[in-house]
Amino acid sequence: MIIMNYIASFILVGLGIFCIATKRNLLKICIGSGLIDYGCNLLIVSVGFHDGGTAPIFAIRELTRASFFVDPVPQALTLTSIVIGACSTAMTLSLIIMIKKQYGTLKADKIRRLKG
Amino acid sequence: MSEFISNFPILAIMSLFLGAFITSLLGRKNAVVRNVIVFISMALALIMMLALIKPVFIEGKVIGYWLGNWAPVADWAIGIGLEVDALSLFFGLIITVAVFVSGTYSFTYMSHDDSLVNYYTLFLMLSGSVLGLVLSGDLFNMFVMIEIMTFTAVALTAFRNTYEGALEGALKYLVVGALGSSSVLIGTALIYSQLHTLNLAQITALLTNDQNIVTGIAFAFLFIGFGTKAFLFPFHPLAADAHAVAPASISLMISGVLTKCGVYGIIRLVYCLYQNIDRPFVQYLVTAFGAVSMFICVTMAFNQHNFKRLLAFHSISQVGYVITAVGLGTSLGLASGLYHAMNHTIFKGLLFLTAGAVQHMTGSLDLDELGGLSKKMPRTCILFLIGAASISGLPPFNGFGSKWMIYQAAFEKSSQTGNVFFLVVCVTALITSVLTLASFVKVAQSVFFGQLNPKFENTKEVPLAMRIPMWILAILCIVTGIFPGSVANKLLMPAVNAATNTRAYVSAMMGEAYAAAHQVVHAGAADVQLIGVYSPMSWMLLLLSITSAVCLVAVLGSPEKKKLEPVVGANVPNGPMTPGSIPVTSQSREADERELITDDLDPKYESFFSGEHAEYSQVGGSDLFWGFKKNWRHYFSFMHEWHSGILNDYALYGACSLALTLLLCVLFL
Amino acid sequence: MTNVLLYAVHLFLFPGLLFIVVMGLLLAGIDRKLVARMQNRVGASILQPWYDFLKCCGKETIIPRHARKGLFLGAPVACFVILISAALFIPVFGGLSMSFEGDVVVILYLLTAAGVAIIVGSAASGSPFAGVGLSREMVAMISYELPFVLVLLAVGALCGQDSAYGVTFSMDEIVRWQTENGSSLLHPAMIPAAIAMLFVIPCEIGMHPFDIAEAETEISEGTLTEYSGAPLGVFKLCHCVKMYVMTALFCALFLGGLSTGILLVDALLEVVFCIIVTFLCMTVPHAICARFKVEQVFKFYWTFVSALALISLLLVWIMR
């Protein structure tokens, strides 16, 4: 339980949402989406923390009932989430490249042929 | 053999994913090889889902499967589990049937596009991820499947990237969809922080007694996350944009399959995981979201000029019906919601496929331009009318049965609780139904009836290979409409029982003792009594008997068809010629020529134009319903501005709804 | 065998096909005559609708070039059949009907389907006037559906207060409750609903001053522009039959308790009450008012008439 990390992760998510909601440049929106992902990742990895625990990496003989380590499951989840975040960023950026070619602009309020 | 059946869920998912990878490897050169691989993997998944009907629906077993045989250790789940109960299989069947129809449709529909190997790879991955979502028994696994689903759907939406607005729609879907997926992830993290497990069955058992404010916040995040996938209000502008620009087979997938995943997530959340659907706050929350989606989207549809965008708004409206019914919290409510979910996939899929057919043959989807296509595409017209009658809720199609159950469920709920809110919901549902009918009358007149635009003189009928999937869906529409009783008994009630019977859900994965130790409730579904014993067969007999009587009278009394009489002079007998009369011979020749005038040139078969010169003047698209739109012009202009098309605004609406739900859940849950 | 025979008599004679058609034509004729008298003219004879129908059947049916023949010719037949089926579910005094538990919803849907049949018929004719006509017909349908649904809910809630769910959707149940507890009209909570229903009836039928769909002077008959001959006759017959269906529905919903048990007297009572209702809701407005505009119709029904029906529904809700 690290309060600092939790607060930081929610601030990151909040900043990411703020970015997506207010910034007009598509690249800034992409950065905002990335911020949300990073905030979530920080939250997940912080959930698994136990005060005073060691890293959950053991050889076969070393693992005993008395070993006190941080929770490895959220770390695995975070790895998966980081990969998904990378994929999402890649996809967003490739769409932005194609949009720039087609629309000629990167401003979100000019890219609105579908509306109403 | 029964042991092997428990492998079918994972095999079905694997066949779709493997099909995707094999297509990508082997399908680059040869189209036939690629189509065969795709067809086999879709068919395998469908067959396996059908084979699971017997143990899960009929015998009522819950199939639990631990991946890699990592069974629970010391009453704690350590592996990823797949759990197939009747609710999951219900959605699994809807998904595999829709995937199969969409795949066979796209063999012909997409044949003119290039890089089709990418299309089919993405399509099979989309199908695999969706099937994995509903069969999954693990919360993080559901999140991963949601992400795969989002990415592939976005890529497929942008597939025809030269199409106007395709990339824009895909970007909006991706960014705001990412907001929703992150919401699910945060919810998962918060649940893990409290319960230290990700297995759905174990979460159900632990949450029975152990709900606190953090799990309440997680509920809000998960609800909004799944709501984004189901395109509830205010996430519906994404759906409108994405459906309009995606190829028609993908529109079917998005509207028929992806939205159902969101619905499945919400049902699992409130009925199984949290089991808090019997609390009034949760009922109000879910029903309110559903009712608002339902009403606002159907009114938005009156303003649309694009055929598929209009269909997209109706899609969200019908999903609103489903969520409203699910949120009522009664067994009848859940049953009617599931019935409508199934029907929605079928008739919405049919409508999108007919829109795709129109687009394929004419190249246009503009309601102000099209018209009179029923002469050129008569069979597509019939299929469209079947779909339109289903969605409007006309008997004997399936929309009528499910909507009737929803009305009854809403009214019963309002009588039971004495609450006016549910009465308002019931009346809203009825009005939405009429407005849906109005909207489809508008589309029918604008696209299929009326006058043919000279631009589309050379349109032909859609090829048979595209009509066969549409006919499959149309026949399903009719069959599920004529036998609502057997649909209810065989498909709906097992699913409803499974959703409410959390004891069986938990014990299938974690063992009976575990379920007992955590006092998981064993509530079966209450007996569902339909108020109206709706027996369509006796209706059909009644209508047939009267029709035959009327036709008999008509046939007996019909006058002979009169031939066009030649004009004066031809029958003048050879008598004395009166002065001033025209010679008989030339007149009779004129008369002969007149007799040769066929129906094509006879002016009496023209449309009546009250004396004006006949020209192309189609009344369709924006010209219809102006009297109705005039009264609502302030509302419509406000909504037109509100759906601004700017990505930032849509993200802002989503974030606001997330904040609002969080606030409500913290205060009242 | 006698059962089948009885069923056939029920279906085709009384209160089936023949009775409905005769009643419809009678009401239409009486309405026309009364309007004429109120406007200080002689007017046509009471049997005029019947003569019109026969004359139409003798004329040639011209199918326009742009029309979809199957739908164009099938729509009038479908409309007629649907209306007769709807009428069979309405209990005439004496309780003769083919009622079952959900039939109020069935009647509602069948009336909607009849409107759809008219719309499909006019869409199939391919004329621009028909396009405008069907748009107006749809607006009329949207307009009256809301108050109609509210009135049905109010009556269902009143007559179903003893049942398990608090509401009944069965006409038989409604009539039975009224025979035991007195007609709905006698309960003061139902008066606004009765007035709302009286307003709904002319819009449903497409009667002046709410006949925006078949506006002869504005859009040259709108939905029926391209029809001629026997199909036109059948559509006119549908119009007359709808008059009977709606007035009989009013009698069943609000005057259901009055039944003497003698078949002939009951049938006569039905005829008399239908004529009275026709006079109140159709003849009087027809003689007095000009045709409403499209947006006026919509606004009127969704504000004033719906408010009346809603008041009734809430009163019933509160007083249960």
Side-chain angles (χ1 to χ4, degrees):
Chain A
M1 278 280 290
I2 318 178
I3 296 291
M4 224 29 202
N5 275 16
Y6 289 162
I7 296 179
S9 76
F10 277 109
I11 290 179
L12 273 175
V13 172
L15 280 176
I17 296 182
F18 172 76
C19 249
I20 297 185
T22 47
K23 297 296 176 194
R24 294 297 192 202
N25 193 326
L26 285 184
L27 286 172
K28 295 186 186 171
I29 292 177
C30 180
I31 294 177
S33 155
L35 276 177
I36 297 181
D37 284 330
Y38 307 148
C40 295
N41 293 341
L42 181 58
L43 178 66
I44 302 177
V45 83
S46 313
V47 158
F49 181 71
H50 296 305
D51 217 348
T54 62
I57 303 173
F58 295 96
I60 297 283
R61 297 279 176 272
E62 291 173 353
L63 184 57
T64 62
R65 287 250 163 233
S67 319
F68 184 62
F69 50 87
V70 300
D71 201 342
V73 172
Q75 299 186 356
L77 304 184
T78 313
L79 280 172
T80 313
S81 178
I82 292 175
V83 170
I84 292 178
C87 190
S88 163
T89 311
M91 187 144 225
T92 316
L93 286 173
S94 53
L95 277 174
I96 291 178
I97 294 177
M98 294 292 297
I99 286 183
K100 171 81 166 131
K101 270 194 220 157
Q102 216 182 60
Y103 287 69
T105 173
L106 278 180
K107 294 175 78 58
D109 46 356
K110 298 283 190 303
I111 302 173
R112 43 184 300 216
R113 292 188 196 167
L114 301 171
K115 58 179 189 257
Chain B
M1 192 58 197
S2 66
E3 276 306 312
F4 190 69
I5 281 202
S6 67
N7 290 325
F8 274 4
I10 189 66
L11 283 176
I13 303 173
M14 290 303 294
S15 93
L16 288 169
F17 276 123
L18 268 178
F21 295 137
I22 297 180
T23 309
S24 178
L25 284 177
L26 298 181
R28 286 193 185 268
K29 298 288 170 35
N30 195 337
V32 174
V33 165
R34 181 190 67 216
N35 288 357
V36 163
I37 297 173
V38 170
F39 187 82
I40 289 180
S41 64
M42 290 191 306
L44 269 179
L46 180 61
I47 291 173
M48 284 194 245
M49 283 293 119
L50 289 173
L52 282 174
I53 289 183
K54 184 161 172 306
V56 177
F57 273 124
I58 301 182
E59 294 166 19
K61 290 198 287 209
V62 178
I63 298 181
Y65 181 89
W66 293 102
L67 286 177
N69 260 338
W70 288 100
V73 167
D75 269 350
W76 208 265
I78 54 174
I80 298 180
L82 288 183
E83 182 155 7
V84 183
D85 62 350
L87 182 68
S88 300
L89 186 62
F90 182 78
F91 280 100
L93 281 171
I94 297 177
I95 288 168
T96 38
V97 169
V99 161
F100 187 75
V101 168
S102 176
T104 44
Y105 183 82
S106 38
F107 287 149
T108 324
Y109 177 66
M110 302 291 297
S111 53
H112 296 307
D113 292 67
D114 59 347
S115 70
L116 279 177
V117 64
N118 297 338
Y119 174 85
Y120 284 111
T121 310
L122 287 167
F123 177 76
L124 285 176
M125 280 180 72
L126 175 62
S127 324
S129 65
V130 173
L131 193 59
L133 177 72
V134 300
L135 297 183
S136 164
D138 183 279
L139 196 53
F140 191 75
N141 203 9
M142 282 171 86
F143 167 72
V144 172
M145 292 298 168
I146 286 181
E147 288 285 41
I148 304 179
M149 191 170 91
T150 308
F151 293 151
T152 45
V154 165
L156 285 170
T157 307
F159 191 74
R160 292 180 165 166
N161 52 12
T162 47
Y163 195 70
E164 165 108 23
L167 293 166
E168 173 191 337
L171 183 69
K172 288 180 200 166
Y173 189 6
L174 180 60
V175 172
V176 187
L179 190 61
S181 317
S182 309
S183 188
V184 171
L185 186 59
I186 297 179
T188 311
L190 289 175
I191 284 192
Y192 188 83
S193 75
Q194 294 300 303
L195 304 176
H196 299 292
T197 178
L198 291 168
N199 185 286
L200 286 179
Q202 193 171 12
I203 294 178
T204 310
L206 290 173
L207 275 178
T208 316
N209 300 321
D210 190 22
Q211 298 195 16
N212 54 24
I213 192 164
V214 180
T215 56
I217 296 179
F219 174 78
F221 275 111
L222 284 170
F223 180 71
I224 291 294
F226 285 120
T228 317
K229 291 306 153 205
F231 296 125
L232 288 182
F233 179 85
F235 295 100
H236 61 277
L238 319 169
D241 293 345
H243 283 115
V245 298
S249 40
I250 299 305
S251 293
L252 187 163
M253 290 295 288
I254 299 179
S255 77
V257 170
L258 265 68
T259 49
K260 299 304 170 301
C261 290
V263 170
Y264 169 78
I266 292 180
I267 295 181
R268 271 280 177 241
L269 193 65
V270 295
Y271 278 89
C272 297
L273 287 185
Y274 280 80
Q275 298 155 58
N276 54 8
I277 193 63
D278 46 352
R279 299 186 46 182
F281 165 69
V282 175
Q283 288 171 0
Y284 290 153
L285 181 71
V286 179
T287 312
F289 263 103
V292 170
S293 300
M294 184 165 77
F295 189 71
I296 289 195
C297 290
V298 83
T299 52
M300 279 308 294
F302 279 98
N303 247 351
Q304 302 304 320
H305 307 286
N306 184 322
F307 191 179
K308 288 222 295 235
R309 202 176 154 91
L310 183 144
L311 287 179
F313 274 111
H314 278 293
S315 184
I316 309 310
S317 174
Q318 300 301 309
V319 170
Y321 262 103
V322 174
I323 299 290
T324 307
V326 161
L328 291 173
T330 56
S331 298
L332 182 60
L334 184 59
S336 57
L338 290 176
Y339 191 15
H340 202 69
M342 176 177 85
N343 291 343
H344 173 242
T345 304
I346 300 175
F347 58 59
K348 205 30 155 287
L350 177 60
L351 286 168
F352 269 115
L353 293 187
T354 47
V358 166
Q359 185 185 16
H360 193 72
M361 302 315 289
T362 59
S364 166
L365 283 175
D366 192 354
L367 289 176
D368 292 324
E369 250 188 9
L370 293 166
L373 284 179
S374 61
K375 282 284 197 195
K376 301 287 180 186
M377 305 170 74
R379 301 194 185 96
T380 314
C381 178
I382 294 178
L383 288 163
F384 174 80
L385 285 177
I386 293 179
S390 304
I391 195 173
S392 316
L394 293 177
F397 299 101
N398 52 10
F400 175 64
S402 57
K403 282 192 182 178
W404 187 349
M405 277 173 82
I406 295 179
Y407 303 148
Q408 182 191 334
F411 203 87
E412 255 178 54
K413 180 79 187 173
S414 66
S415 316
Q416 270 172 18
T417 54
N419 205 329
V420 176
F421 174 72
F422 294 109
L423 185 64
V424 169
V425 164
C426 182
V427 174
T428 312
L430 281 158
I431 297 308
T432 309
S433 184
V434 178
L435 293 175
T436 311
L437 174 64
S439 203
F440 277 93
V441 160
K442 162 180 163 170
V443 174
Q445 165 70 8
S446 307
V447 175
F448 287 103
F449 299 116
Q451 311 215 306
L452 186 62
N453 193 336
K455 218 163 79 166
F456 301 124
E457 251 330 294
N458 299 325
T459 331
K460 301 221 186 7
E461 179 60 85
V462 155
L464 182 65
M466 279 167 81
R467 287 209 304 270
I468 290 183
M470 293 201 266
W471 270 112
I472 295 177
L473 288 176
I475 291 175
L476 278 175
C477 265
I478 299 177
V479 164
T480 47
I482 297 187
F483 302 110
S486 25
V487 167
N489 287 335
K490 297 212 178 62
L491 286 179
L492 300 178
M493 291 323 291
V496 172
N497 281 327
T500 46
N501 190 0
T502 43
R503 181 75 161 247
Y505 189 70
V506 174
S507 54
M509 292 295 265
M510 304 294 296
E512 186 61 44
Y514 189 78
H518 286 262
Q519 296 128 23
V520 180
V521 171
H522 176 269
D527 208 15
V528 165
Q529 284 283 1
L530 296 181
I531 284 188
V533 179
Y534 167 55
S535 70
M537 290 316 273
S538 58
W539 272 36
M540 299 292 262
L541 285 174
L542 175 67
L543 284 174
L544 272 172
S545 55
I546 301 184
T547 315
S548 45
V550 168
C551 288
L552 200 63
V553 169
V555 161
L556 287 176
S558 69
E560 294 173 17
K561 199 164 155 69
K562 297 193 193 52
K563 278 190 58 169
L564 180 61
E565 293 270 331
V567 189
V568 69
N571 285 338
V572 170
N574 282 330
M577 293 232 277
T578 53
S581 69
I582 310 166
V584 175
T585 46
S586 65
Q587 211 167 18
S588 64
R589 207 178 310 129
E590 234 177 54
D592 283 339
E593 280 167 355
R594 237 188 230 260
E595 275 190 41
L596 290 175
I597 292 177
T598 55
D599 284 350
D600 271 350
L601 299 174
D602 190 347
K604 89 173 175 186
Y605 292 107
E606 295 277 348
S607 296
F608 175 64
F609 269 92
S610 63
E612 308 279 338
H613 180 61
E615 54 180 66
Y616 167 65
S617 62
Q618 154 80 325
V619 176
S622 321
D623 302 322
L624 295 172
F625 299 140
W626 51 267
F628 169 72
K629 295 203 297 199
K630 181 168 172 222
N631 274 308
W632 287 30
R633 59 189 182 281
H634 300 297
Y635 169 76
F636 280 134
S637 56
F638 172 71
M639 282 316 236
H640 186 84
E641 292 306 316
W642 196 74
H643 289 78
S644 61
I646 303 178
L647 175 54
N648 307 93
D649 293 343
Y650 294 163
L652 184 61
Y653 305 151
C656 287
S657 73
L658 178 59
L660 182 66
T661 316
L662 271 174
L663 189 64
L664 287 174
C665 281
V666 163
L667 286 178
F668 297 116
L669 193 61
Chain C
M1 189 58 206
T2 47
N3 223 359
V4 174
L5 203 59
L6 209 59
Y7 189 73
V9 164
H10 182 154
L11 203 59
F12 293 114
L13 288 182
F14 178 81
L17 191 59
L18 197 64
F19 178 70
I20 294 169
V21 169
V22 164
M23 274 298 296
L25 292 169
L26 183 68
L27 287 175
I30 290 180
D31 167 71
R32 238 166 126 153
K33 189 74 171 169
L34 283 174
V35 167
R37 282 293 176 190
M38 286 172 75
Q39 292 175 342
N40 210 9
R41 350 177 228 114
V42 176
S45 82
I46 295 189
L47 292 179
Q48 188 62 33
W50 175 240
Y51 299 146
D52 285 340
F53 173 64
L54 285 180
K55 192 172 81 162
C56 275
C57 288
K59 300 275 186 187
E60 179 190 356
T61 308
I62 299 178
I63 303 177
R65 192 167 306 137
H66 296 293
R68 296 277 302 143
K69 189 162 161 200
L71 288 173
F72 187 76
L73 292 177
V77 175
C79 185
F80 184 64
V81 164
I82 292 172
L83 282 174
I84 299 287
S85 314
L88 283 173
F89 286 113
I90 301 176
V92 178
F93 291 138
L96 283 177
S97 76
M98 305 177 49
S99 177
F100 65 97
E101 279 180 42
D103 51 6
V104 164
V105 184
V106 168
I107 293 174
L108 179 67
Y109 264 96
L110 282 178
L111 289 172
T112 310
V116 169
I118 295 180
I119 288 175
V120 166
S122 56
S125 65
S127 150
F129 286 118
V132 178
L134 70 88
S135 155
R136 289 169 162 225
E137 172 74 33
M138 197 65 230
V139 172
M141 267 171 73
I142 299 175
S143 311
Y144 72 68
E145 282 285 317
L146 177 62
F148 193 24
V149 155
L150 289 173
V151 164
L152 289 176
L153 275 178
V155 174
L158 180 72
C159 302
Q161 38 184 285
D162 308 322
S163 80
Y165 307 105
V167 67
T168 176
F169 286 138
S170 159
M171 288 300 275
D172 250 357
E173 181 68 34
I174 291 177
V175 169
R176 214 176 41 77
W177 192 90
Q178 289 180 74
T179 40
E180 287 169 18
N181 301 50
S183 301
S184 305
L185 206 51
L186 300 176
H187 295 253
M190 276 291 138
I191 306 251
I195 301 178
M197 187 69 177
L198 284 177
F199 276 118
V200 165
I201 291 181
C203 192
E204 162 88 52
I205 299 173
M207 202 70 199
H208 201 95
F210 299 109
D211 61 341
I212 50 181
E214 261 183 68
E216 285 89 346
T217 49
E218 291 174 30
I219 48 173
S220 60
E221 197 112 8
T223 52
L224 301 180
T225 312
E226 298 293 342
Y227 276 95
S228 51
L232 179 64
V234 174
F235 263 135
K236 293 289 189 193
L237 191 62
C238 290
H239 185 252
C240 303
V241 167
K242 244 201 239 184
M243 290 174 82
Y244 169 68
V245 169
M246 293 308 290
T247 48
L249 187 63
F250 183 89
C251 295
L253 286 177
F254 291 101
L255 301 168
L258 311 167
S259 162
T260 54
I262 313 172
L263 189 60
L264 210 55
V265 176
D266 280 339
L268 230 58
L269 263 181
E270 174 85 11
V271 173
V272 166
F273 276 119
C274 281
I275 295 178
I276 294 178
V277 172
T278 309
F279 176 74
L280 277 177
C281 66
M282 290 188 262
T283 312
V284 169
H286 188 161
I288 298 177
C289 306
R291 189 180 297 124
F292 276 49
K293 289 203 279 194
V294 180
E295 54 265 24
Q296 285 174 339
V297 166
F298 179 74
K299 201 156 148 198
F300 177 64
Y301 276 93
W302 271 45
T303 49
F304 180 63
V305 182
S306 300
L308 281 176
L310 200 60
I311 290 175
S312 229
L313 183 58
L314 288 175
L315 281 176
V316 168
W317 204 257
I318 295 173
M319 295 198 318
R320 59 171 47 214

